[in-house]
Short mmCIF file of all heavy atoms in Angstrom, two decimals:
data_model
loop_
_atom_site.label_atom_id
_atom_site.label_comp_id
_atom_site.label_asym_id
_atom_site.label_seq_id
_atom_site.Cartn_x
_atom_site.Cartn_y
_atom_site.Cartn_z
N PRO A 1559 -138.66 105.92 254.41
CA PRO A 1559 -137.71 106.79 253.71
C PRO A 1559 -137.78 108.24 254.16
O PRO A 1559 -136.75 108.91 254.27
CB PRO A 1559 -138.13 106.65 252.23
CG PRO A 1559 -138.81 105.33 252.15
CD PRO A 1559 -139.51 105.17 253.46
N GLU A 1560 -138.99 108.74 254.43
CA GLU A 1560 -139.15 110.15 254.82
C GLU A 1560 -138.50 110.43 256.17
O GLU A 1560 -137.84 111.45 256.36
CB GLU A 1560 -140.63 110.52 254.86
CG GLU A 1560 -141.28 110.55 253.47
CD GLU A 1560 -142.79 110.71 253.55
OE1 GLU A 1560 -143.30 111.00 254.65
OE2 GLU A 1560 -143.45 110.55 252.50
N GLU A 1561 -138.68 109.53 257.12
CA GLU A 1561 -138.10 109.71 258.45
C GLU A 1561 -136.58 109.62 258.42
O GLU A 1561 -135.89 110.25 259.21
CB GLU A 1561 -138.65 108.65 259.43
CG GLU A 1561 -140.05 108.91 259.90
CD GLU A 1561 -140.52 107.84 260.87
OE1 GLU A 1561 -139.66 107.12 261.44
OE2 GLU A 1561 -141.74 107.72 261.06
N SER A 1562 -136.06 108.81 257.52
CA SER A 1562 -134.60 108.56 257.50
C SER A 1562 -133.82 109.78 257.03
O SER A 1562 -132.69 109.99 257.44
CB SER A 1562 -134.28 107.36 256.61
OG SER A 1562 -134.53 107.67 255.25
N ILE A 1563 -134.42 110.59 256.15
CA ILE A 1563 -133.72 111.79 255.65
C ILE A 1563 -134.19 112.99 256.46
O ILE A 1563 -135.04 113.76 256.05
CB ILE A 1563 -133.94 111.99 254.14
CG1 ILE A 1563 -133.40 110.78 253.40
CG2 ILE A 1563 -133.22 113.26 253.66
CD1 ILE A 1563 -133.46 110.88 251.91
N ASP A 1564 -133.62 113.08 257.66
CA ASP A 1564 -133.95 114.16 258.58
C ASP A 1564 -132.62 114.65 259.13
O ASP A 1564 -131.79 113.83 259.56
CB ASP A 1564 -134.85 113.63 259.70
CG ASP A 1564 -135.42 114.73 260.58
OD1 ASP A 1564 -134.79 115.82 260.63
OD2 ASP A 1564 -136.45 114.51 261.22
N PHE A 1565 -132.39 115.94 259.12
CA PHE A 1565 -131.12 116.47 259.59
C PHE A 1565 -131.10 116.69 261.09
O PHE A 1565 -130.16 117.28 261.63
CB PHE A 1565 -130.77 117.75 258.83
CG PHE A 1565 -130.38 117.50 257.40
CD1 PHE A 1565 -131.33 117.41 256.40
CD2 PHE A 1565 -129.04 117.30 257.06
CE1 PHE A 1565 -130.97 117.15 255.08
CE2 PHE A 1565 -128.68 117.04 255.75
CZ PHE A 1565 -129.64 116.97 254.76
N ASN A 1566 -132.13 116.22 261.78
CA ASN A 1566 -132.18 116.25 263.24
C ASN A 1566 -132.56 114.86 263.74
O ASN A 1566 -133.21 114.10 263.04
CB ASN A 1566 -133.22 117.26 263.72
CG ASN A 1566 -132.87 118.67 263.30
OD1 ASN A 1566 -131.88 119.22 263.74
ND2 ASN A 1566 -133.68 119.25 262.42
N GLY A 1567 -132.16 114.54 264.97
CA GLY A 1567 -132.55 113.26 265.54
C GLY A 1567 -131.58 112.15 265.20
O GLY A 1567 -130.50 112.38 264.64
N ASN A 1568 -132.00 110.94 265.52
CA ASN A 1568 -131.12 109.77 265.37
C ASN A 1568 -131.14 109.27 263.93
O ASN A 1568 -131.72 108.23 263.61
CB ASN A 1568 -131.59 108.67 266.34
CG ASN A 1568 -130.60 107.53 266.42
OD1 ASN A 1568 -129.53 107.58 265.83
ND2 ASN A 1568 -130.96 106.49 267.15
N THR A 1569 -130.48 110.03 263.05
CA THR A 1569 -130.44 109.69 261.62
C THR A 1569 -129.03 109.82 261.08
O THR A 1569 -128.18 110.51 261.66
CB THR A 1569 -131.35 110.63 260.81
OG1 THR A 1569 -130.80 111.96 260.86
CG2 THR A 1569 -132.78 110.65 261.32
N GLY A 1570 -128.81 109.20 259.93
CA GLY A 1570 -127.52 109.32 259.26
C GLY A 1570 -127.20 110.76 258.88
O GLY A 1570 -126.09 111.24 259.14
N PRO A 1571 -128.14 111.50 258.24
CA PRO A 1571 -127.85 112.87 257.86
C PRO A 1571 -127.49 113.78 259.04
O PRO A 1571 -126.67 114.69 258.90
CB PRO A 1571 -129.16 113.33 257.19
CG PRO A 1571 -129.73 112.08 256.62
CD PRO A 1571 -129.40 111.01 257.63
N PHE A 1572 -128.07 113.56 260.22
CA PHE A 1572 -127.73 114.36 261.40
C PHE A 1572 -126.25 114.17 261.75
O PHE A 1572 -125.53 115.14 262.02
CB PHE A 1572 -128.61 113.94 262.58
CG PHE A 1572 -128.20 114.53 263.91
CD1 PHE A 1572 -128.25 115.90 264.13
CD2 PHE A 1572 -127.76 113.72 264.94
CE1 PHE A 1572 -127.88 116.44 265.36
CE2 PHE A 1572 -127.38 114.25 266.17
CZ PHE A 1572 -127.44 115.61 266.38
N ILE A 1573 -125.79 112.93 261.72
CA ILE A 1573 -124.39 112.64 262.04
C ILE A 1573 -123.48 113.15 260.93
O ILE A 1573 -122.42 113.75 261.19
CB ILE A 1573 -124.21 111.12 262.27
CG1 ILE A 1573 -125.03 110.67 263.49
CG2 ILE A 1573 -122.73 110.77 262.47
CD1 ILE A 1573 -125.21 109.18 263.63
N GLN A 1574 -123.88 112.94 259.68
CA GLN A 1574 -123.09 113.44 258.55
C GLN A 1574 -122.97 114.96 258.57
O GLN A 1574 -121.90 115.51 258.29
CB GLN A 1574 -123.72 112.98 257.23
CG GLN A 1574 -123.59 111.48 256.97
CD GLN A 1574 -124.39 111.05 255.75
OE1 GLN A 1574 -125.53 111.48 255.57
NE2 GLN A 1574 -123.82 110.20 254.91
N TYR A 1575 -124.07 115.63 258.92
CA TYR A 1575 -124.05 117.08 258.95
C TYR A 1575 -123.11 117.59 260.05
O TYR A 1575 -122.39 118.58 259.87
CB TYR A 1575 -125.46 117.64 259.16
CG TYR A 1575 -125.52 119.14 259.19
CD1 TYR A 1575 -125.20 119.89 258.05
CD2 TYR A 1575 -125.85 119.82 260.36
CE1 TYR A 1575 -125.23 121.28 258.08
CE2 TYR A 1575 -125.88 121.21 260.39
CZ TYR A 1575 -125.56 121.94 259.24
OH TYR A 1575 -125.58 123.31 259.27
N THR A 1576 -123.11 116.90 261.19
CA THR A 1576 -122.21 117.29 262.28
C THR A 1576 -120.76 117.14 261.84
O THR A 1576 -119.92 118.02 262.11
CB THR A 1576 -122.48 116.43 263.53
OG1 THR A 1576 -123.83 116.66 263.96
CG2 THR A 1576 -121.53 116.78 264.67
N TYR A 1577 -120.46 116.06 261.16
CA TYR A 1577 -119.09 115.86 260.65
C TYR A 1577 -118.71 117.00 259.70
O TYR A 1577 -117.63 117.59 259.81
CB TYR A 1577 -118.98 114.52 259.92
CG TYR A 1577 -117.63 114.32 259.25
CD1 TYR A 1577 -116.55 113.83 259.97
CD2 TYR A 1577 -117.44 114.65 257.91
CE1 TYR A 1577 -115.31 113.67 259.37
CE2 TYR A 1577 -116.21 114.50 257.30
CZ TYR A 1577 -115.15 114.00 258.03
OH TYR A 1577 -113.91 113.86 257.44
N ALA A 1578 -119.61 117.30 258.76
CA ALA A 1578 -119.33 118.35 257.77
C ALA A 1578 -119.16 119.71 258.46
O ALA A 1578 -118.31 120.51 258.06
CB ALA A 1578 -120.46 118.42 256.74
N ARG A 1579 -119.95 119.95 259.51
CA ARG A 1579 -119.84 121.21 260.25
C ARG A 1579 -118.45 121.31 260.90
O ARG A 1579 -117.81 122.37 260.86
CB ARG A 1579 -120.93 121.26 261.32
CG ARG A 1579 -120.77 122.42 262.30
CD ARG A 1579 -121.73 122.28 263.47
NE ARG A 1579 -123.03 122.85 263.14
CZ ARG A 1579 -124.11 122.73 263.91
NH1 ARG A 1579 -124.05 122.02 265.02
NH2 ARG A 1579 -125.26 123.30 263.56
N ILE A 1580 -117.99 120.22 261.51
CA ILE A 1580 -116.67 120.23 262.15
C ILE A 1580 -115.57 120.48 261.11
O ILE A 1580 -114.64 121.27 261.33
CB ILE A 1580 -116.40 118.90 262.89
CG1 ILE A 1580 -117.36 118.75 264.07
CG2 ILE A 1580 -114.95 118.84 263.39
CD1 ILE A 1580 -117.32 117.39 264.74
N ARG A 1581 -115.68 119.81 259.98
CA ARG A 1581 -114.67 120.00 258.93
C ARG A 1581 -114.66 121.45 258.46
O ARG A 1581 -113.60 122.01 258.15
CB ARG A 1581 -114.95 119.06 257.76
CG ARG A 1581 -114.84 117.58 258.11
CD ARG A 1581 -113.47 117.17 258.59
NE ARG A 1581 -112.49 117.31 257.52
CZ ARG A 1581 -111.18 117.28 257.71
NH1 ARG A 1581 -110.68 117.14 258.92
NH2 ARG A 1581 -110.35 117.39 256.68
N SER A 1582 -115.82 122.09 258.43
CA SER A 1582 -115.91 123.49 258.04
C SER A 1582 -115.19 124.37 259.06
O SER A 1582 -114.46 125.30 258.71
CB SER A 1582 -117.38 123.90 257.93
OG SER A 1582 -117.50 125.29 257.71
N ILE A 1583 -115.39 124.07 260.35
CA ILE A 1583 -114.72 124.82 261.43
C ILE A 1583 -113.20 124.70 261.28
O ILE A 1583 -112.46 125.70 261.37
CB ILE A 1583 -115.16 124.29 262.81
CG1 ILE A 1583 -116.63 124.62 263.07
CG2 ILE A 1583 -114.28 124.86 263.93
CD1 ILE A 1583 -117.24 123.88 264.25
#
Side-chain angles (χ1 to χ4, degrees):
E1560 291 171 10
E1561 284 181 19
S1562 69
I1563 299 184
D1564 189 337
F1565 288 86
N1566 298 294
N1568 190 5
T1569 66
F1572 170 65
I1573 296 166
Q1574 289 172 318
Y1575 181 65
T1576 299
Y1577 174 84
R1579 171 190 275 172
I1580 294 171
R1581 296 299 294 167
S1582 173
I1583 292 167

